Amino acid sequence: MMRRRIEGPKTWLLTTRTSSYAMGIGPDGALRHLYWGAPLWRLEDLSAPAALTDISSFDPRQMLEKEEFPGWGGPRYYEPALKIAREDGNRDLVLRYASHRIQGDELDITLKDVNDPIEVTLHYRVYPDYGILSRSARVRNGTTRPFTIQSAQSAAWYLPPGDGYRLSYLSGRWAAEMQLNREPIHEGQKVIESRKGHTSHNFNPWFAVDTGDASEEHGRVWFGALAWSGNWRITVEQTPYRQVRVTGGMNSFDFAYRLNPSESLETPAFFAGFSAGGFGSASRALDRFTREKILPGGLSSRLRPVLYNSWEATTFHVDEAGQKALAEKASKLGVELFVMDDGWFGKRDDDHAGLGDWFVNPRKFPHGLKPLIDAVNRLNMDFGLWVEPEMVNADSDLYRAHPDWVIHFAGRPRSELRNQMILNLARNDVKEYIFGVLDKLATENNIRYFKWDMNRSFSEPGWPEAEPVDQQKLWVAYVRNLYEIIDRLRARHPKLEIESCSGGGGRVDLGMLQRVDEVWTSDNTEAFDRLRIQEGFSQAYPAKVMSAWVTDVPNMNSRSTPLSYRFLVAMQGALGIGANLNGWGESDFALATKMIAIYKRIRPTVQLGDPYRLLSPRTSDVTSDQYVSADGKQSAVFVFRHSQEYNTPAPTLYLRGLDRKATYKLESIDNKLVERQPALSGAYLMHAGLNVNLRGDFDSTLVILERAQ
Ligand code: GLA
């Protein structure tokens, strides 16, 4: 919902179910931030931005004025939203309101430099039912000379002035992604970013800022997530004037984007929201928004199927007979999608060769993929295939034919990681080639699903064929072309689904989620490690897109956990089986069949319901998560114990999101409920709580609640 006051000073008030956002034009014509927080309803309450005075010659008024989208120019020393360099060396940019346009839930405000026709159009879009606002910017060169953009952000966000704010963010590395950090914000900058060409495992483009005292269910939380899968940056900054501001968009590191006259550059969408109900309601808002407004198909996209993936069973040693045998075993378990991983193409017997040669290996599949796919389909499963389209091994026909197709600097070493180099998708010929390969595979075979992998970060990011002044455009053009390939592929093959994988969770962001159905969370499938990875993931992304496999033990850390524990951990996302079924015994098959059946019963609740984090693996020996179905009729409570000490019982679980007046039938999948009442009221479950008997190490359980009345 958008209200505006257009007579006299202009003020805009953007309101959603849970938040309002306001800005107005100052006496000098600059667009200034006015408010971000709980919903307001009266536009007249907002006064136009006031004229401020300098505190001293070292503390100019501009540092106090919360400019919505500050150019780097004049006496401004904080992180700018836009920085440019003109050909003649002039780099001053001071932006003033020029015009605006409101259309439905969208508002465009155009700013112009005080001297030159350099224009920035700020796009605002409210999603009133979701409590989400999106911002992005289009920079246009209306002059007659080119200029170079040195920093292009999507938005600058301002918190109410004050101290004591706290930042939450996700960091990590390969096999240890999405670790949740919470730390006080002090003066200076805290930067989370990627310089790796893809989203990266090291930081994820999501943030939350709270007043320092928020909990899962209480307190004020401002949050945001960037929809960009290349180099990105979020700068959280507290100025000397007690102002916390968050600026985010494309990474300004090594950024140079030349804009010719009448060309423009669009920055990625930065989605944001405000919650008065703590971190839990913040992530539930983002979760629902992502499922319904970001994912391809939105509300109508199907529940994620239970998949089997052959990687950990066969690694590169795939062949028709072996895959068929696995498929038969998988189908008996209740698997719905069978995915053949790496090793099916070119001379791919290990990770030294074959990437780039996307033709079926005739030794492993003498009759092509058809016999295997037919067999999988006959078993009532869809077929999925692993691809890594952006990569090439030096030992491949493609590289021998096109050594210039990889990202490189002329005459310099080309670093190989996992023996592979990256094809320069910024080049249109390379983009067309990759599209052609995937389109052919999807046209000639009944492929329902691509697991799209990307197993290394950028290095030597050169593009020698482009004009020297345009070579750094690679950072942007690569991502845009990647998006284009996926979008075209999906348009041509409407039933095709895609999983984004980058050595685990190296490419998880809302830009990717606008075009894929799920993401591979982490190459670390060790169930106890996963609890923290999943906790971090759940801050920013829905369970529905979180691929989670059950694999064999001992796993990472040489740790072994029981099969039931591994299942329950993975059942909190899009369940997959990645174990070597050839090594399983009868009791494993029996347990897996039972667990998959239980998963299917609670799948809509886990994938489409509201998640509540009851106990965190960061702070407790017991981890617990609860999911409540959208219609409130079912709830699933997962509980995990790391290691019991001194015979202490597990803590009481205070459930959430239930109807206090309703009663719920309780069902324990393994008889570990302490409560013996067959049903309990919502009030009792939320206030007196539920108790489970978890003993020893790595014990776990699942309690299913069905609303009785
Ligand atoms: C990456 C992926 C794995 C697997 C291998 C195949 O590591 O994350 O799941 O697909 O590549 O080479």
Side-chain angles (χ1 to χ4, degrees):
M1 207 205 304
M2 221 164 284
R3 293 159 194 265
R4 63 183 158 147
R5 180 159 57 186
I6 46 175
E7 324 79 54
K10 292 191 182 64
T11 312
W12 293 269
L13 176 61
L14 282 50
T15 296
T16 73
R17 197 171 47 81
T18 50
S19 62
S20 280
Y21 188 93
M23 60 247 161
I25 297 171
D28 58 357
L31 182 66
R32 279 159 56 179
H33 178 76
L34 286 175
Y35 177 79
W36 187 20
L40 304 178
W41 61 271
R42 193 167 177 270
L43 184 66
E44 291 69 25
D45 291 346
L46 296 164
S47 50
L52 302 176
T53 47
D54 298 344
I55 300 177
S56 78
S57 59
F58 295 99
D59 305 273
R61 63 176 174 77
Q62 284 84 350
M63 292 301 289
L64 310 171
E65 295 173 345
K66 296 175 250 179
E67 252 184 85
E68 269 290 285
F69 199 82
W72 187 72
R76 292 173 180 81
Y77 307 103
Y78 45 52
E79 188 65 27
L82 181 63
K83 183 174 186 307
I84 64 151
R86 296 175 186 76
E87 268 190 326
D88 61 3
N90 179 341
R91 304 186 303 288
D92 191 54
L93 182 71
V94 177
L95 297 169
R96 296 280 186 260
Y97 169 83
S99 63
H100 75 274
R101 194 172 62 131
I102 296 179
Q103 268 187 320
D105 288 334
E106 292 180 54
L107 162 68
D108 280 359
I109 300 181
T110 298
L111 312 176
K112 261 204 185 100
D113 177 54
V114 285
N115 274 0
D116 302 324
I118 296 173
E119 285 174 14
V120 184
T121 301
L122 307 181
H123 305 299
Y124 294 84
R125 176 162 183 188
V126 281
Y127 297 87
D129 298 342
Y130 297 88
I132 300 289
L133 166 70
S134 94
R135 289 183 59 187
S136 61
R138 191 178 68 244
V139 185
R140 187 175 170 277
N141 183 356
T143 75
T144 54
R145 308 292 315 158
F147 64 78
T148 299
I149 302 176
Q150 297 176 322
S151 171
Q153 303 303 302
S154 300
W157 306 99
Y158 293 85
L159 279 295
D163 287 325
Y165 284 107
R166 183 170 58 164
L167 172 68
S168 301
Y169 63 98
L170 301 169
S171 67
R173 57 185 161 86
W174 174 78
E177 301 87 336
M178 305 277 183
Q179 305 292 311
L180 177 62
N181 304 277
R182 231 158 236 162
E183 63 196 34
I185 297 176
H186 296 301
E187 278 178 25
Q189 289 192 343
K190 165 86 186 182
V191 172
I192 57 171
E193 63 172 354
S194 166
R195 298 180 177 192
K196 292 183 154 178
H198 60 119
T199 324
S200 115
H201 306 74
N202 302 126
F203 294 104
N204 192 268
W206 167 87
F207 77 91
V209 173
D210 75 291
T211 41
D213 53 2
S215 63
E216 275 299 314
E217 300 304 321
H218 299 284
R220 294 193 289 162
V221 179
W222 294 259
F223 58 94
L226 256 178
W228 190 239
S229 316
N231 281 0
W232 59 272
R233 173 177 162 128
I234 295 176
T235 307
V236 181
E237 181 178 29
Q238 181 171 323
T239 72
Y241 316 100
R242 297 171 128 188
Q243 178 61 60
V244 171
R245 55 199 300 281
V246 180
T247 317
M250 291 172 179
N251 201 333
S252 51
F253 178 80
D254 196 44
F255 190 86
Y257 197 98
R258 184 169 69 155
L259 269 195
N260 289 313
S262 42
E263 282 182 353
S264 48
L265 172 69
E266 184 93 35
T267 65
F270 202 154
F271 296 95
F274 167 79
S275 146
F279 299 110
S281 86
S283 48
R284 283 187 291 278
L286 199 48
D287 182 312
R288 191 173 146 243
F289 173 73
T290 303
R291 280 189 280 112
E292 298 185 6
K293 290 288 169 191
I294 295 282
L295 290 183
L299 268 172
S300 60
S301 67
R302 67 169 181 157
L303 288 169
R304 300 310 309 143
V306 177
L307 72 74
Y308 178 78
N309 180 296
S310 65
W311 173 245
E312 295 196 14
T314 48
T315 64
F316 300 96
H317 310 298
V318 294
D319 61 23
E320 193 181 308
Q323 294 294 301
K324 276 184 177 166
L326 283 169
E328 263 170 43
K329 291 182 177 155
S331 88
K332 286 195 190 124
L333 296 174
V335 165
E336 297 154 318
L337 169 65
F338 180 86
V339 183
M340 175 161 68
D341 211 278
D342 202 349
W344 58 269
F345 54 91
K347 295 200 192 92
R348 187 77 170 162
D349 292 323
D350 54 38
D351 63 17
H352 286 82
L355 288 174
D357 298 340
W358 299 106
F359 51 83
V360 181
N361 181 303
R363 178 172 45 84
K364 299 176 184 176
F365 297 92
H367 313 290
L369 295 178
K370 193 169 184 332
L372 172 61
I373 298 179
D374 286 349
V376 166
N377 292 160
R378 269 197 304 275
L379 291 164
N380 270 328
M381 296 187 292
D382 287 324
F383 180 77
L385 191 64
W386 181 93
V387 287
E388 196 179 1
E390 299 152 82
M391 298 292 159
V392 69
N393 289 118
D395 186 0
S396 67
D397 293 347
L398 185 71
Y399 189 68
R400 281 183 282 273
H402 298 287
D404 54 325
W405 275 15
V406 300
I407 293 178
H408 71 286
F409 287 119
R412 305 285 306 171
R414 304 171 178 199
S415 296
E416 293 182 18
L417 295 166
R418 207 192 190 207
N419 313 301
Q420 60 197 57
M421 290 168 280
I422 306 187
L423 293 170
N424 185 357
L425 253 63
R427 287 174 56 138
N428 282 329
D429 51 355
V430 175
K431 173 185 76 181
E432 290 307 324
Y433 171 80
I434 293 176
F435 172 77
V437 162
L438 296 168
D439 182 45
K440 187 163 181 281
L441 273 173
T443 305
E444 292 177 356
N445 302 286
N446 189 19
I447 295 173
R448 182 74 201 260
Y449 181 94
F450 278 134
K451 174 177 172 186
W452 184 308
D453 213 336
M454 197 266 187
N455 273 318
R456 61 158 292 179
S457 303
F458 287 31
S459 63
E460 298 101 12
W463 183 3
E465 302 77 21
E467 290 282 309
V469 287
D470 285 330
Q471 289 184 8
Q472 283 160 283
K473 279 188 177 168
L474 175 127
W475 294 120
V476 176
Y478 185 101
V479 181
R480 294 244 191 274
N481 282 350
L482 168 72
Y483 286 170
E484 186 194 314
I485 295 171
I486 302 178
D487 293 345
R488 278 166 62 192
L489 209 55
R490 293 194 76 118
R492 293 251 313 197
H493 307 278
K495 282 193 138 183
L496 182 71
E497 297 179 333
I498 298 176
E499 171 180 11
S500 166
C501 172
S502 176
R507 198 151 61 188
V508 179
D509 60 79
L510 294 184
M512 215 55 194
L513 284 171
Q514 281 168 328
R515 34 190 65 83
V516 302
D517 303 270
E518 58 183 274
V519 292
W520 182 222
T521 317
S522 177
D523 278 350
N524 185 349
T525 54
E526 196 281 299
F528 178 65
D529 278 2
R530 265 292 172 120
L531 288 179
R532 275 204 198 188
I533 294 173
Q534 295 186 174
E535 181 198 39
F537 190 98
S538 75
Q539 307 291 319
Y541 304 104
K544 184 181 183 198
V545 304
M546 185 180 77
S547 277
W549 296 355
V550 174
T551 54
D552 292 323
V553 289
N555 200 322
M556 195 161 280
N557 316 307
S558 311
R559 186 177 288 129
S560 292
T561 57
L563 186 57
S564 53
Y565 182 101
R566 281 175 271 150
F567 257 100
L568 290 179
V569 170
M571 282 161 69
Q572 296 190 76
L575 176 65
I577 316 295
N580 183 1
L581 300 181
N582 297 325
W584 274 20
E586 248 175 63
S587 61
D588 299 325
F589 280 106
L591 181 61
T593 310
K594 173 183 154 194
M595 293 303 239
I596 289 174
I598 293 173
Y599 177 71
K600 287 178 180 170
R601 247 186 78 196
I602 58 168
R603 172 162 55 182
T605 300
V606 170
Q607 292 193 13
L608 307 177
D610 272 333
Y612 294 84
R613 293 176 290 259
L614 303 184
L615 292 172
S616 161
R618 283 174 302 123
T619 51
S620 173
D621 156 48
V622 175
T623 300
S624 180
D625 293 290
Q626 181 196 354
Y627 301 79
V628 180
S629 68
D631 62 9
K633 289 192 175 148
Q634 190 187 60
S635 180
V637 185
F638 292 85
V639 202
F640 304 91
R641 183 151 214 186
H642 179 263
S643 32
Q644 186 183 26
E645 292 172 300
Y646 314 109
N647 233 352
T648 314
T652 299
L653 305 165
Y654 298 98
L655 304 195
R656 297 187 196 141
L658 302 178
D659 178 351
R660 61 183 307 281
K661 291 261 166 72
T663 52
Y664 297 85
K665 280 193 281 175
L666 304 179
E667 180 184 333
S668 158
I669 63 156
D670 47 14
N671 221 11
K672 289 180 186 158
L673 249 184
V674 173
E675 280 73 24
R676 291 290 150 192
Q677 304 90 316
L680 286 169
S681 69
Y684 187 91
L685 289 162
M686 292 191 288
H687 306 315
L690 202 61
N691 293 282
V692 288
N693 258 319
L694 294 188
R695 311 227 146 257
D697 295 340
F698 302 115
D699 203 357
S700 61
T701 190
L702 165 66
V703 181
I704 302 172
L705 282 67
E706 305 276 359
R707 190 179 167 131
Q709 52 161 43

